[in-house]
Amino acid sequence: IGAGAVPIKTKDGWLLFYHGVINTCNGFRYSMGAALLDLNDPSKVIARTQPYLLAPATLYETTGDVPNVVFPCAALHSIEEDKVAVYYGAADTVVGVAFGRISEIRFNIREQQHNKNCVICGKSRNFYYFCILKKYSNQKKYDGPVKSLAFGVW
């Protein structure tokens, strides 16, 4: 696990975007997750996304100097407007940006902590990532390495 952008202070705790790696039969795969950390003691994890928010899926994320990699680098946010833009490295070759609503990310981190099933479709939590992308994929189309992160658009 590796930290990404500077944590964002929210009423529920520090919102941290991070990357994690798993070893698959095709090599390592780096994906992006989010966690809420205690405001007074950030060493305490309140809750985190399971399995992840964003994983390598598009050509520019799966092909490059290091294939199958996405990792958060920086985040711009507006608490007042409830928006976040997370800049992330993809395949150690390009930089992408993903957009989301802070309140929805916080809500879904907390819900995933308490529910065994996806909060959208009710199936196994393994379907969660796919449901989120499916739910919001029709809101806006992007060209190039820019896409929606789980919860809507900027």
Side-chain angles (χ1 to χ4, degrees):
I1 294 177
V6 174
I8 299 167
K9 187 175 184 178
T10 73
K11 66 180 182 177
D12 295 328
W14 293 101
L15 175 61
L16 173 70
F17 295 99
Y18 65 90
H19 74 270
V21 61
I22 62 168
N23 193 3
T24 71
C25 62
N26 291 323
F28 293 114
R29 181 176 177 175
Y30 288 74
S31 299
M32 185 189 318
L36 286 172
L37 310 178
D38 185 83
L39 284 174
N40 298 317
D41 183 0
S43 68
K44 294 180 183 176
V45 177
I46 298 169
R48 67 182 181 91
T49 53
Q50 295 179 11
Y52 43 75
L53 277 180
L54 185 69
T58 61
L59 185 62
Y60 60 86
E61 296 165 343
T62 60
T63 306
D65 291 341
V66 182
N68 297 316
V69 170
V70 297
F71 58 93
C73 301
L76 299 176
H77 70 281
S78 169
I79 295 294
E80 297 79 23
E81 295 182 27
D82 191 34
K83 296 178 182 179
V84 65
V86 180
Y87 291 83
Y88 67 96
D92 282 15
T93 307
V94 299
V95 174
V97 63
F99 303 93
R101 297 273 176 206
I102 295 170
S103 62
E104 292 182 3
I105 295 170
R106 285 186 355 247
F107 172 79
N108 284 283
I109 291 172
R110 290 190 318 267
E111 286 299 307
Q112 286 180 6
Q113 188 72 14
H114 302 292
N115 294 317
K116 294 180 181 177
N117 297 328
C118 172
V119 294
I120 293 173
C121 73
K123 295 182 181 176
S124 165
R125 194 164 36 201
N126 294 337
F127 290 95
Y128 178 75
Y129 169 74
F130 303 104
C131 288
I132 293 294
L133 289 183
K134 183 178 177 185
K135 180 177 178 183
Y136 293 101
S137 64
N138 295 326
Q139 288 190 7
K140 188 170 182 181
K141 301 287 183 200
Y142 292 101
D143 294 325
V146 180
K147 64 182 171 184
S148 172
L149 168 71
F151 309 103
V153 295
W154 194 265

CSV table of all heavy atoms in Angstrom, one decimal, residues 77-112:
chain,number,residue,atom,x,y,z
A,77,HIS,N,-9.5,19.7,-4.7
A,77,HIS,CA,-10.9,19.5,-4.2
A,77,HIS,C,-11.5,20.9,-3.7
A,77,HIS,O,-10.8,21.8,-3.5
A,77,HIS,CB,-10.8,18.6,-3.0
A,77,HIS,CG,-10.2,19.2,-1.8
A,77,HIS,ND1,-8.8,19.3,-1.6
A,77,HIS,CD2,-10.7,19.7,-0.6
A,77,HIS,CE1,-8.5,19.8,-0.5
A,77,HIS,NE2,-9.7,20.1,0.2
A,78,SER,N,-12.8,20.8,-3.7
A,78,SER,CA,-13.6,21.9,-3.1
A,78,SER,C,-14.6,21.3,-2.2
A,78,SER,O,-15.6,20.7,-2.7
A,78,SER,CB,-14.3,22.7,-4.3
A,78,SER,OG,-15.2,23.6,-3.7
A,79,ILE,N,-14.4,21.5,-0.9
A,79,ILE,CA,-15.4,21.0,0.1
A,79,ILE,C,-16.8,21.7,-0.2
A,79,ILE,O,-17.8,21.0,-0.1
A,79,ILE,CB,-14.9,21.2,1.5
A,79,ILE,CG1,-13.6,20.4,1.8
A,79,ILE,CG2,-16.0,20.8,2.5
A,79,ILE,CD1,-13.8,18.9,1.7
A,80,GLU,N,-16.7,23.0,-0.4
A,80,GLU,CA,-18.0,23.7,-0.6
A,80,GLU,C,-18.8,23.2,-1.8
A,80,GLU,O,-20.0,23.2,-1.8
A,80,GLU,CB,-17.7,25.2,-0.8
A,80,GLU,CG,-17.0,25.9,0.4
A,80,GLU,CD,-15.5,25.6,0.5
A,80,GLU,OE1,-14.9,25.3,-0.5
A,80,GLU,OE2,-15.0,25.7,1.6
A,81,GLU,N,-18.1,22.9,-2.9
A,81,GLU,CA,-18.8,22.4,-4.1
A,81,GLU,C,-18.9,20.8,-4.1
A,81,GLU,O,-19.4,20.3,-5.0
A,81,GLU,CB,-18.1,22.9,-5.3
A,81,GLU,CG,-18.1,24.4,-5.5
A,81,GLU,CD,-17.5,24.8,-6.8
A,81,GLU,OE1,-17.4,24.1,-7.7
A,81,GLU,OE2,-17.0,26.0,-6.8
A,82,ASP,N,-18.3,20.2,-3.1
A,82,ASP,CA,-18.4,18.7,-2.9
A,82,ASP,C,-17.7,18.0,-4.1
A,82,ASP,O,-18.3,17.0,-4.7
A,82,ASP,CB,-19.9,18.3,-2.8
A,82,ASP,CG,-20.0,16.8,-2.4
A,82,ASP,OD1,-19.1,16.3,-1.6
A,82,ASP,OD2,-21.0,16.2,-2.8
A,83,LYS,N,-16.6,18.5,-4.6
A,83,LYS,CA,-15.9,17.9,-5.8
A,83,LYS,C,-14.5,17.6,-5.5
A,83,LYS,O,-13.8,18.2,-4.7
A,83,LYS,CB,-15.9,19.0,-6.9
A,83,LYS,CG,-17.3,19.3,-7.4
A,83,LYS,CD,-17.2,20.4,-8.5
A,83,LYS,CE,-18.6,20.8,-9.0
A,83,LYS,NZ,-18.5,21.9,-10.0
A,84,VAL,N,-14.0,16.6,-6.2
A,84,VAL,CA,-12.6,16.2,-6.1
A,84,VAL,C,-12.2,15.8,-7.5
A,84,VAL,O,-12.9,15.1,-8.2
A,84,VAL,CB,-12.3,15.1,-5.1
A,84,VAL,CG1,-13.0,13.8,-5.4
A,84,VAL,CG2,-10.8,14.9,-4.9
A,85,ALA,N,-11.0,16.2,-7.9
A,85,ALA,CA,-10.3,15.7,-9.1
A,85,ALA,C,-9.0,15.0,-8.7
A,85,ALA,O,-8.2,15.7,-8.0
A,85,ALA,CB,-10.0,16.8,-10.1
A,86,VAL,N,-8.9,13.7,-9.0
A,86,VAL,CA,-7.7,13.0,-8.6
A,86,VAL,C,-6.8,12.7,-9.8
A,86,VAL,O,-7.3,12.1,-10.8
A,86,VAL,CB,-8.0,11.6,-7.9
A,86,VAL,CG1,-6.8,10.9,-7.5
A,86,VAL,CG2,-8.9,11.9,-6.7
A,87,TYR,N,-5.6,13.3,-9.8
A,87,TYR,CA,-4.7,13.0,-10.9
A,87,TYR,C,-3.9,11.7,-10.6
A,87,TYR,O,-3.5,11.5,-9.4
A,87,TYR,CB,-3.7,14.2,-11.0
A,87,TYR,CG,-4.4,15.4,-11.5
A,87,TYR,CD1,-5.1,16.3,-10.7
A,87,TYR,CD2,-4.4,15.7,-12.9
A,87,TYR,CE1,-5.8,17.4,-11.1
A,87,TYR,CE2,-5.1,16.8,-13.4
A,87,TYR,CZ,-5.7,17.7,-12.5
A,87,TYR,OH,-6.4,18.8,-12.9
A,88,TYR,N,-3.8,10.9,-11.6
A,88,TYR,CA,-3.2,9.6,-11.3
A,88,TYR,C,-2.3,9.1,-12.5
A,88,TYR,O,-2.5,9.5,-13.6
A,88,TYR,CB,-4.3,8.5,-11.1
A,88,TYR,CG,-5.1,8.2,-12.3
A,88,TYR,CD1,-4.8,7.1,-13.1
A,88,TYR,CD2,-6.3,8.9,-12.6
A,88,TYR,CE1,-5.6,6.7,-14.2
A,88,TYR,CE2,-7.1,8.6,-13.7
A,88,TYR,CZ,-6.7,7.5,-14.5
A,88,TYR,OH,-7.5,7.2,-15.5
A,89,GLY,N,-1.3,8.4,-12.1
A,89,GLY,CA,-0.4,7.8,-13.1
A,89,GLY,C,-1.0,6.6,-13.6
A,89,GLY,O,-1.7,5.8,-12.9
A,90,ALA,N,-0.8,6.4,-14.9
A,90,ALA,CA,-1.3,5.2,-15.6
A,90,ALA,C,-0.2,4.5,-16.4
A,90,ALA,O,0.4,5.1,-17.3
A,90,ALA,CB,-2.4,5.6,-16.5
A,91,ALA,N,0.1,3.3,-16.0
A,91,ALA,CA,1.1,2.4,-16.7
A,91,ALA,C,2.5,3.1,-16.7
A,91,ALA,O,3.3,2.8,-17.5
A,91,ALA,CB,0.7,2.0,-18.1
A,92,ASP,N,2.7,3.9,-15.7
A,92,ASP,CA,4.0,4.7,-15.6
A,92,ASP,C,4.4,5.4,-16.9
A,92,ASP,O,5.5,5.6,-17.2
A,92,ASP,CB,5.1,3.7,-15.1
A,92,ASP,CG,5.1,3.5,-13.7
A,92,ASP,OD1,4.1,3.7,-13.0
A,92,ASP,OD2,6.1,3.0,-13.1
A,93,THR,N,3.3,5.8,-17.7
A,93,THR,CA,3.6,6.4,-19.0
A,93,THR,C,2.8,7.7,-19.1
A,93,THR,O,3.3,8.6,-19.7
A,93,THR,CB,3.1,5.4,-20.1
A,93,THR,OG1,3.8,4.1,-19.9
A,93,THR,CG2,3.5,5.9,-21.5
A,94,VAL,N,1.6,7.8,-18.7
A,94,VAL,CA,0.7,8.9,-18.8
A,94,VAL,C,0.1,9.3,-17.5
A,94,VAL,O,0.1,8.6,-16.5
A,94,VAL,CB,-0.4,8.7,-19.9
A,94,VAL,CG1,0.2,8.4,-21.3
A,94,VAL,CG2,-1.3,7.6,-19.5
A,95,VAL,N,-0.5,10.5,-17.5
A,95,VAL,CA,-1.3,11.0,-16.3
A,95,VAL,C,-2.7,11.1,-16.7
A,95,VAL,O,-3.0,11.7,-17.8
A,95,VAL,CB,-0.7,12.3,-15.8
A,95,VAL,CG1,-1.6,12.9,-14.7
A,95,VAL,CG2,0.7,12.2,-15.3
A,96,GLY,N,-3.6,10.6,-15.9
A,96,GLY,CA,-5.0,10.7,-16.1
A,96,GLY,C,-5.6,11.5,-15.0
A,96,GLY,O,-5.0,11.8,-14.0
A,97,VAL,N,-6.9,11.9,-15.1
A,97,VAL,CA,-7.6,12.6,-14.0
A,97,VAL,C,-9.0,12.0,-13.9
A,97,VAL,O,-9.6,11.6,-14.9
A,97,VAL,CB,-7.7,14.1,-14.3
A,97,VAL,CG1,-8.5,14.4,-15.5
A,97,VAL,CG2,-8.2,14.9,-13.1
A,98,ALA,N,-9.4,11.8,-12.7
A,98,ALA,CA,-10.7,11.2,-12.4
A,98,ALA,C,-11.4,12.1,-11.5
A,98,ALA,O,-10.8,12.8,-10.6
A,98,ALA,CB,-10.5,9.8,-11.7
A,99,PHE,N,-12.7,12.2,-11.7
A,99,PHE,CA,-13.6,13.2,-10.9
A,99,PHE,C,-14.5,12.4,-10.0
A,99,PHE,O,-15.0,11.3,-10.3
A,99,PHE,CB,-14.4,14.0,-11.9
A,99,PHE,CG,-13.5,14.7,-12.9
A,99,PHE,CD1,-13.2,14.2,-14.1
A,99,PHE,CD2,-13.0,16.0,-12.6
A,99,PHE,CE1,-12.4,14.8,-15.0
A,99,PHE,CE2,-12.2,16.6,-13.5
A,99,PHE,CZ,-11.9,16.1,-14.7
A,100,GLY,N,-14.9,13.1,-8.9
A,100,GLY,CA,-15.9,12.5,-8.0
A,100,GLY,C,-16.5,13.5,-7.1
A,100,GLY,O,-16.1,14.7,-7.0
A,101,ARG,N,-17.5,13.1,-6.4
A,101,ARG,CA,-18.2,13.8,-5.3
A,101,ARG,C,-17.7,13.4,-4.0
A,101,ARG,O,-17.8,12.2,-3.7
A,101,ARG,CB,-19.7,13.7,-5.4
A,101,ARG,CG,-20.3,14.2,-6.7
A,101,ARG,CD,-20.6,15.6,-6.6
A,101,ARG,NE,-21.1,16.1,-7.8
A,101,ARG,CZ,-21.0,17.4,-8.2
A,101,ARG,NH1,-20.4,18.2,-7.4
A,101,ARG,NH2,-21.5,17.8,-9.4
A,102,ILE,N,-17.1,14.3,-3.2
A,102,ILE,CA,-16.5,13.9,-1.9
A,102,ILE,C,-17.6,13.2,-1.0
A,102,ILE,O,-17.3,12.2,-0.4
A,102,ILE,CB,-15.9,15.1,-1.2
A,102,ILE,CG1,-14.8,15.7,-2.1
A,102,ILE,CG2,-15.5,14.8,0.2
A,102,ILE,CD1,-14.2,17.0,-1.6
A,103,SER,N,-18.8,13.7,-1.0
A,103,SER,CA,-19.8,13.1,-0.1
A,103,SER,C,-20.1,11.7,-0.5
A,103,SER,O,-20.4,10.9,0.4
A,103,SER,CB,-21.1,14.0,-0.1
A,103,SER,OG,-21.6,14.1,-1.4
A,104,GLU,N,-20.2,11.4,-1.8
A,104,GLU,CA,-20.5,10.1,-2.2
A,104,GLU,C,-19.4,9.1,-2.0
A,104,GLU,O,-19.6,8.0,-1.7
A,104,GLU,CB,-20.9,10.1,-3.7
A,104,GLU,CG,-22.3,10.9,-4.0
A,104,GLU,CD,-22.7,10.8,-5.4
A,104,GLU,OE1,-22.0,10.2,-6.2
A,104,GLU,OE2,-23.7,11.5,-5.7
A,105,ILE,N,-18.2,9.6,-2.2
A,105,ILE,CA,-17.0,8.7,-1.9
A,105,ILE,C,-17.0,8.4,-0.4
A,105,ILE,O,-16.9,7.2,0.0
A,105,ILE,CB,-15.7,9.4,-2.3
A,105,ILE,CG1,-15.7,9.6,-3.8
A,105,ILE,CG2,-14.5,8.6,-1.8
A,105,ILE,CD1,-14.6,10.4,-4.3
A,106,ARG,N,-17.2,9.4,0.5
A,106,ARG,CA,-17.2,9.2,1.9
A,106,ARG,C,-18.4,8.2,2.3
A,106,ARG,O,-18.2,7.2,3.1
A,106,ARG,CB,-17.5,10.5,2.7
A,106,ARG,CG,-16.3,11.4,2.8
A,106,ARG,CD,-16.5,12.6,3.7
A,106,ARG,NE,-17.8,12.8,4.2
A,106,ARG,CZ,-18.6,13.8,3.9
A,106,ARG,NH1,-18.3,14.7,3.0
A,106,ARG,NH2,-19.8,13.9,4.5
A,107,PHE,N,-19.6,8.4,1.8
A,107,PHE,CA,-20.7,7.6,2.0
A,107,PHE,C,-20.4,6.1,1.7
A,107,PHE,O,-20.7,5.2,2.4
A,107,PHE,CB,-21.9,8.1,1.3
A,107,PHE,CG,-23.1,7.2,1.4
A,107,PHE,CD1,-23.9,7.1,2.5
A,107,PHE,CD2,-23.4,6.3,0.4
A,107,PHE,CE1,-25.0,6.3,2.6
A,107,PHE,CE2,-24.5,5.4,0.4
A,107,PHE,CZ,-25.3,5.4,1.6
A,108,ASN,N,-19.9,5.9,0.5
A,108,ASN,CA,-19.7,4.6,0.0
A,108,ASN,C,-18.5,3.9,0.7
A,108,ASN,O,-18.6,2.7,0.9
A,108,ASN,CB,-19.5,4.6,-1.5
A,108,ASN,CG,-20.8,4.7,-2.2
A,108,ASN,OD1,-21.6,3.8,-2.3
A,108,ASN,ND2,-21.1,5.9,-2.7
A,109,ILE,N,-17.5,4.6,1.2
A,109,ILE,CA,-16.5,4.0,2.0
A,109,ILE,C,-17.1,3.5,3.3
A,109,ILE,O,-16.9,2.3,3.7
A,109,ILE,CB,-15.4,5.0,2.3
A,109,ILE,CG1,-14.6,5.4,1.1
A,109,ILE,CG2,-14.4,4.4,3.4
A,109,ILE,CD1,-13.6,6.5,1.3
A,110,ARG,N,-17.9,4.3,3.9
A,110,ARG,CA,-18.6,3.8,5.2
A,110,ARG,C,-19.5,2.7,4.9
A,110,ARG,O,-19.6,1.7,5.7
A,110,ARG,CB,-19.3,5.0,5.8
A,110,ARG,CG,-18.4,6.1,6.4
A,110,ARG,CD,-19.1,7.1,7.2
A,110,ARG,NE,-20.4,7.5,6.7
A,110,ARG,CZ,-20.6,8.6,5.9
A,110,ARG,NH1,-19.5,9.4,5.6
A,110,ARG,NH2,-21.7,8.9,5.5
A,111,GLU,N,-20.3,2.7,3.8
A,111,GLU,CA,-21.3,1.7,3.6
A,111,GLU,C,-20.6,0.4,3.3
A,111,GLU,O,-21.0,-0.7,3.7
A,111,GLU,CB,-22.2,2.1,2.4
A,111,GLU,CG,-23.2,3.1,2.8
A,111,GLU,CD,-24.2,2.6,3.8
A,111,GLU,OE1,-24.8,1.5,3.7
A,111,GLU,OE2,-24.3,3.3,4.9
A,112,GLN,N,-19.5,0.4,2.5
A,112,GLN,CA,-18.8,-0.8,2.2
A,112,GLN,C,-18.2,-1.5,3.5
A,112,GLN,O,-18.1,-2.7,3.5
A,112,GLN,CB,-17.6,-0.5,1.2
A,112,GLN,CG,-18.1,-0.2,-0.2
A,112,GLN,CD,-16.9,0.0,-1.1
A,112,GLN,OE1,-15.7,-0.1,-0.7
A,112,GLN,NE2,-17.2,0.4,-2.3
